[in-house]
Amino acid sequence: NVEYADEIHLIRRIASQHITQSSCGQNNGYYKRFVKSLKNKTREEVSIISFNFDCLLRDDLDDRIYFDYLIEFKEIDSRRCFYKPGQGIPLLKLHGSLDWRLDALTGYLTLLPAEWHENYGGEPCIFLPHEQANKKIDQLWEAAAEFVRHAEKITFIGYSLPPYDQDAIRLFQSNVHKGIRIEVIDSSESTIGRYKKLFPKSVMEGIVCDLSIQCNEKGTTVLSLGN
């Protein structure tokens, strides 16, 4: 919305700085274990949809576990030379990411070595729910819908599909097929109950797990294909 462009610009900068400061350098064991679990998995077996801006979910160079953002970058920073489009586990970040720099004039994206910082220039490529996004982000949503349509199992980790995020709710409700296996891992039994109401024709399994103490996987969805 052009009328609120300055306000959105300010919110985006404040959010990017806060998330960068709060997530930078964290030794998150749950994230590491999650990435390790992807070892020997192929991009045909597993894909990931995330509504997070942060970069806690990242490549494991020692074990050669890489992620593919499935988005076109005009430039890739030399410190990300290991990133190869078309290789690795698909990681679709539907609200953008703090290691992406957006040129507001051209719409070009640059893949950065770490979280966005003011010194990099440009804009942090993050989008709020319902905000009109970059066309390339729209293409990610289309790709995500395709993954959901062909998934044999969907696992939601710590994501409640909140009522205000209608775009995300539509993404899944419009594309899951009848009888799909849905696994929900969350600290709240009420959240699991809400999923049962949202997807009454699925085969639902709920796992109550306190993710708040050591893990903050808000918004990460794993789509397991072919399992």
Side-chain angles (χ1 to χ4, degrees):
N1 192 320
V2 176
E3 182 180 356
Y4 299 104
D6 290 341
E7 288 83 353
I8 292 174
H9 171 81
L10 178 60
I11 292 172
R12 186 182 291 130
R13 281 182 171 269
I14 293 173
S16 63
Q17 290 173 356
H18 171 72
I19 297 171
T20 298
Q21 291 171 3
S22 61
S23 63
C24 183
Q26 285 193 10
N27 187 16
N28 193 301
Y30 278 5
Y31 272 96
K32 288 186 176 181
R33 286 166 55 190
F34 176 70
V35 173
K36 295 286 186 187
S37 72
L38 299 175
K39 191 171 185 179
N40 300 322
K41 293 287 187 180
T42 68
R43 59 188 293 118
E44 287 74 28
E45 293 177 299
V46 177
S47 58
I48 302 168
I49 295 175
S50 175
F51 299 99
N52 281 353
F53 309 135
D54 66 49
C55 301
L56 290 173
L57 184 61
R58 61 181 67 197
D59 310 85
D60 180 346
L61 304 186
D62 292 334
D63 289 315
R64 302 181 65 81
I65 301 171
Y66 303 103
F67 295 107
D68 181 4
Y69 290 125
L70 296 187
I71 196 168
E72 180 185 355
F73 294 104
K74 186 68 174 180
E75 182 181 351
I76 298 176
D77 189 280
S78 61
R79 286 164 287 186
R80 294 295 293 271
C81 61
F82 59 86
Y83 179 81
K84 305 296 182 186
Q87 299 181 23
I89 301 293
L91 173 55
L92 291 79
K93 304 190 77 171
L94 300 188
H95 287 166
S97 181
L98 286 178
D99 58 348
W100 304 353
R101 178 177 62 201
L102 173 66
D103 186 315
L105 294 178
T106 64
Y108 291 155
L109 293 175
T110 299
L111 180 61
L112 302 173
E115 290 85 351
W116 174 88
H117 190 276
E118 288 184 345
N119 291 341
Y120 290 137
E123 286 284 338
C125 186
I126 62 175
F127 298 95
L128 308 178
H130 308 302
E131 182 185 355
Q132 186 175 2
N134 182 285
K135 290 183 179 179
K136 294 178 182 178
I137 298 293
D138 293 339
Q139 293 171 3
L140 283 184
W141 281 80
E142 295 172 4
E146 187 73 11
F147 278 120
V148 173
R149 280 194 291 270
H150 292 91
E152 294 184 5
K153 177 184 176 183
I154 301 178
T155 300
F156 292 89
I157 304 176
Y159 184 56
S160 63
L161 274 182
Y164 64 79
D165 203 347
Q166 289 295 313
D167 292 337
I169 293 174
R170 280 192 295 270
L171 169 67
F172 291 101
Q173 283 192 321
S174 300
N175 292 288
V176 297
H177 57 78
K178 182 180 179 181
I180 190 171
R181 296 163 56 202
I182 295 182
E183 180 181 57
V184 181
I185 303 173
D186 198 90
S187 58
S188 170
E189 292 188 15
S190 62
T191 294
I192 295 172
R194 185 164 180 271
Y195 270 93
K196 292 179 180 179
K197 293 179 180 178
L198 287 171
F199 304 99
K201 297 181 180 180
S202 67
V203 178
M204 183 74 62
E205 178 183 3
I207 300 174
V208 178
C209 176
D210 187 357
L211 300 172
S212 63
I213 298 176
Q214 300 181 52
C215 181
N216 183 24
E217 300 238 12
K218 299 296 183 184
T220 302
T221 304
V222 186
L223 309 182
S224 300
L225 309 181
N227 286 333

